[in-house]
Amino acid sequence: MTAADSLLVHASGLVKRFGDVEAVRGIDVGVRRGEAFGFLGPNGAGKSSTMRMIACVSPRSAGELRVLGMDPQRDGPRIRARLGVVPQQDTLDNELTVRQNLQVYGRYFGLSRDTVRRKAVELMEFAQLSDRAEDQVEPLSGGMKRRLTIARSLVNDPELLLLDEPTIGLDPQARHLLWDRLYQLRHAGVTLILTTHYMDEAEQLCDRLVVMDGGRIVAEGSPAELIARYSTREVLELRFAPGHQRDALPVVATLADRVEVLPDRLLLYTADGEASLAAVHERDVRPASTLIRRSTLEDVFLRLTGRSLVD
Amino acid sequence: MDNASAAADPGGTPAVARPVGSVRAALLVVEGLWAWYRRNWRATVVSSVVQPVLYLLALGFGFGSQVRPGEATQGLPYLAYLAPALLVAGAVQNAAGESTHPVLSSFKWARTYWGIIATPISPGQLVAGQLLWIALRLLTSGAAYLVVAALFGALTGPGVLLSLVFAVLAGMAFSAPLVAYSASVRDEGQGFNAVFRFVVVPMTLFAGTYFPVSQLPVWVWPLAWVTPLWHGTELARAAAFESMSPLPTLGHLAYLLAVLAVGVLLTRRQFTRRLLV
Ligand SMILES: Nc1ncnc2c1ncn2[C@@H]1O[C@H](COP(=O)(O)OP(=O)(O)OP(=O)(O)O)[C@@H](O)[C@H]1O
Ligand SMILES: [Mg+2]
């Protein structure tokens, strides 16, 4: 097995154009077997466009792409047979029951009636939807539908699972249930590629991730590496009444490696939060409240894209 | 590459997924649509079977009682003259219904087509399955209509079985181009009203279902001749009344098959263009 073979997904100079819009502008990505790989980025960064090319439902405009060692253009059906896909927007059949959705979908993969019947039972268990088996999908809650979409993506026992914002619209409890399920899958050896807007999710789930912005990859590494490279050990948050944070800016600017200005607060990036806070007080700055915390991916994201994900 | 290490295995049973042949793939799409139909068939029976039967009753028995058999009715009682034609008109109307909103919805609201092409099934196979499904719907609705018409004594003989084949062919010659159109619609489908108002309704009124086209002003004739309905009606009556002659039959068949072929090609192109972006 060569190095390239152990890459389940290998893109180089990958480009996607929609007319004049260049959604993906030449990215290089390698995803190894068994890892959980993340795409982060603000709206319109090109995450879904990339995911759809990997899922072999969107022809690339330029560059190279290999998925499971094959060329999506030539071997699309053979690749798709071994993929699980959770698209950003659900494509469930709302007029069928939960069980029918799983069975019908499994049949498209060439599975026998017997197999899909068994599979449906297992997957409803997995997604905690067994008690809704014979219910129509339409009136299910958004979170239940999302869980069903994820269950459905597993019907063919995929080697590679593509999840485009899997936990979008889920309440915290449902998100944690989902994370739990994704851990289980990884443990079973499934390779995961996911996009998300939740930094905690990325930190929890991803072994490695890339940050995309404007169709390009702007950083790559493990969550810990990215934090080490693009942020400081600690962050001192100074909260002010909205608008007043700018008054304090010139005074505290020299107390940290870097300062980010948010609508209601200043973020001071520093190795030692306590020391910086003492210095702030010494200079007679009186924020409404303060907080010292460790750097997170959120801070990396802010640094790299100039945008906060929460706004 | 090693396949066995695969397996999302939440519950245990490993599935062996693989792409299937094109014919199987199309049949699997039909199976998926059947799963829907099994739950919802009641709602479709009224429009697809009851409606043509009501026309047969009102016009065949009611209005027909005032019509004397003559040259215009090929020497037959009006009921017998009308029965095979309504079979074709029903098929074309059903084709119109099945080829518009359900198709647009599968792209736009239900988005089920997007789900299907994420599996090994290709857009071309999806098209084959969708069209095959419509053909099956036309076939079963037509057969149900024939059973009812036979009970009313409206049928002249076993030739109507061949009429049924022609009705499905005419319906599909109308369906395929319409599915291609529906696949190109990006708005909410406002154009469908125009299709029904300005194509389907005039066609069923003037393309030879209730009276021969020759009763109309000469300038209307070509308008009737381009409709699949007229060709299907000519074929269905000839088959039902056992009055088929080779040349017209071949002509009608060739026309319907040509329109169907063009429609299928257009549909494949529209589906591929819309789904693989
Ligand atoms: N089918 C399409 N036709 C035209 N433009 C498109 C299409 N799909 C995406 N785009 C454009 O490509 C760019 C990238 O979109 P994409 O959906 O890949 O972003 P994303 O990173 O997934 O964003 P989000 O976080 O909002 O989901 C955007 O400018 C978008 O408008
Ligand atoms: Mg997206």
Side-chain angles (χ1 to χ4, degrees):
Chain A
M1 215 185 236
T2 68
D5 273 342
S6 66
L7 291 179
L8 281 204
V9 176
H10 188 199
S12 59
L14 185 61
V15 172
K16 182 70 200 182
R17 277 185 288 265
F18 299 102
D20 294 339
V21 181
E22 207 168 29
V24 179
R25 309 178 169 212
I27 59 169
D28 304 314
V29 179
V31 180
R32 292 189 279 265
R33 184 179 285 281
E35 77 176 338
F37 189 91
F39 284 96
L40 303 190
N43 293 135
K47 304 181 297 293
S48 295
S49 304
T50 305
M51 293 290 264
R52 298 189 62 249
M53 285 190 279
I54 297 172
C56 308
V57 293
S58 171
R60 61 181 183 267
S61 308
E64 280 306 312
L65 178 62
R66 301 194 70 80
V67 182
L68 301 172
M70 292 178 275
D71 177 354
Q73 229 97 320
R74 249 201 10 248
D75 299 309
R78 275 175 62 205
I79 300 171
R80 291 197 299 270
R82 292 158 61 188
L83 297 184
V85 179
V86 175
Q88 189 167 350
Q89 253 183 302
D90 286 330
T91 60
L92 296 168
D93 199 323
N94 279 312
E95 300 189 59
L96 298 185
T97 64
V98 169
R99 188 193 301 277
Q100 280 181 313
N101 260 282
L102 295 169
Q103 292 185 348
V104 165
Y105 210 69
R107 293 283 290 155
Y108 295 145
F109 287 90
L111 303 178
S112 74
R113 264 176 249 270
D114 241 19
T115 308
V116 296
R117 252 192 301 260
R118 250 178 308 127
K119 238 25 230 179
V121 173
E122 290 167 14
L123 289 170
M124 286 187 294
E125 197 69 35
F126 175 77
Q128 301 193 348
L129 288 169
S130 303
D131 51 331
R132 309 299 296 260
E134 314 309 328
D135 290 0
Q136 202 186 318
V137 167
E138 178 80 63
L140 295 187
S141 78
M144 289 176 177
K145 285 186 191 172
R146 206 63 185 151
R147 260 147 56 196
L148 178 56
T149 296
I150 292 166
R152 193 182 72 166
S153 73
L154 299 173
V155 74
N156 58 327
D157 287 327
E159 285 164 68
L160 173 61
L161 187 57
L162 304 172
L163 305 130
D164 198 349
E165 302 192 25
T167 58
I168 195 157
L170 295 191
D171 63 32
Q173 205 182 342
R175 273 176 75 204
H176 281 278
L177 173 69
L178 232 149
W179 291 0
D180 187 58
R181 295 299 183 251
L182 294 179
Y183 286 133
Q184 260 175 276
L185 289 170
R186 257 191 64 201
H187 199 70
V190 180
T191 308
L192 306 180
I193 302 182
L194 60 111
T195 78
T196 180
H197 283 280
Y198 301 110
M199 293 298 120
D200 53 342
E201 185 161 294
E203 268 185 83
Q204 288 279 331
L205 293 177
C206 297
D207 302 312
R208 237 153 36 88
L209 49 87
V210 294
V211 179
M212 283 186 83
D213 195 14
R216 293 203 167 80
I217 289 176
V218 293
E220 174 173 2
S222 70
E225 280 167 10
L226 287 173
I227 291 168
R229 198 175 326 145
Y230 293 101
S231 195
T232 50
R233 211 171 70 88
E234 294 191 329
V235 184
L236 169 60
E237 294 200 7
L238 306 177
R239 291 172 188 262
F240 296 88
H244 290 278
Q245 83 281 35
R246 289 199 177 274
D247 304 339
L249 182 58
V251 189
V252 302
T254 55
L255 297 180
D257 297 4
R258 193 163 61 83
V259 181
E260 286 285 347
V261 185
L262 297 187
D264 62 337
R265 65 198 126 137
L266 298 176
L267 304 183
L268 277 61
Y269 289 92
T270 167
D272 185 344
E274 288 292 348
S276 301
L277 180 59
V280 164
H281 283 147
E282 233 160 72
R283 298 197 180 181
D284 242 12
V285 176
R286 295 279 169 259
S289 67
T290 63
L291 169 74
I292 297 167
R293 58 172 176 81
R294 302 188 73 89
S295 271
T296 65
L297 269 185
E298 186 86 47
D299 300 298
V300 174
F301 193 85
L302 194 59
R303 161 96 186 262
L304 288 171
T305 68
R307 259 157 294 188
S308 166
L309 273 173
V310 287
D311 63 13
Chain B
M1 245 200 197
D2 112 37
N3 231 328
S5 76
D9 213 356
T13 326
V16 188
R18 63 196 187 287
V20 300
S22 282
V23 175
R24 263 250 8 247
L27 291 177
L28 290 174
V29 173
V30 168
E31 193 181 308
L33 290 160
W34 164 248
W36 176 89
Y37 189 73
R38 236 170 41 196
R39 287 172 57 79
N40 297 283
W41 64 273
R42 286 172 202 82
T44 69
V45 166
V46 172
S47 62
S48 58
V49 180
V50 176
Q51 199 165 300
V53 168
L54 289 180
Y55 276 93
L56 186 68
L57 295 181
L59 291 159
F61 281 105
F63 173 76
S65 66
Q66 308 300 311
V67 180
R68 219 165 325 123
E71 202 192 326
T73 67
Q74 303 187 16
L76 294 161
Y78 190 65
L79 180 66
Y81 172 77
L82 192 57
L86 279 177
L87 173 66
V88 187
V92 168
Q93 270 165 337
N94 285 336
E98 291 288 318
S99 310
T100 45
H101 287 107
V103 172
L104 178 59
S105 172
S106 304
F107 280 108
K108 200 177 161 99
W109 298 295
R111 298 179 56 82
T112 43
Y113 287 159
W114 303 94
I116 292 175
I117 59 142
T119 74
I121 292 184
S122 70
Q125 295 164 343
L126 169 60
V127 166
Q130 176 66 68
L131 291 177
L132 183 58
W133 169 251
I134 296 175
L136 286 171
R137 291 272 290 113
L138 302 188
L139 184 69
T140 49
S141 303
Y145 162 85
L146 283 183
V147 170
V148 180
L151 294 177
F152 284 117
L155 302 185
T156 44
V160 288
L161 290 177
L162 191 52
S163 308
L164 178 57
V165 175
F166 294 142
V168 173
L169 177 60
M172 291 314 294
F174 189 63
S175 164
L178 193 52
V179 172
Y181 166 71
S182 300
S184 74
V185 169
R186 303 282 163 159
D187 60 20
E188 311 298 300
Q190 290 92 335
F192 294 153
N193 288 336
V195 170
F196 282 94
R197 225 172 279 161
F198 301 118
V199 181
V200 178
V201 171
M203 184 161 74
T204 37
L205 289 176
F206 299 111
T209 302
Y210 301 104
F211 52 86
V213 170
S214 58
Q215 308 290 317
L216 292 166
V218 175
W219 65 268
V220 185
W221 296 4
L223 290 178
W225 293 342
V226 298
T227 65
L229 179 55
W230 180 72
H231 295 274
T233 306
E234 291 291 306
L235 286 168
R237 280 208 174 103
F241 309 150
E242 278 155 34
S243 59
M244 296 183 75
S245 41
L247 219 52
T249 303
L250 281 180
H252 294 307
L253 278 178
Y255 182 81
L256 290 177
L257 287 171
V259 174
L260 175 59
V262 171
V264 170
L265 290 179
L266 287 175
T267 302
R268 281 183 65 113
R269 210 173 68 177
Q270 288 298 339
F271 269 57
T272 308
R273 188 180 285 176
R274 185 156 187 177
L275 290 170
L276 299 186
V277 287

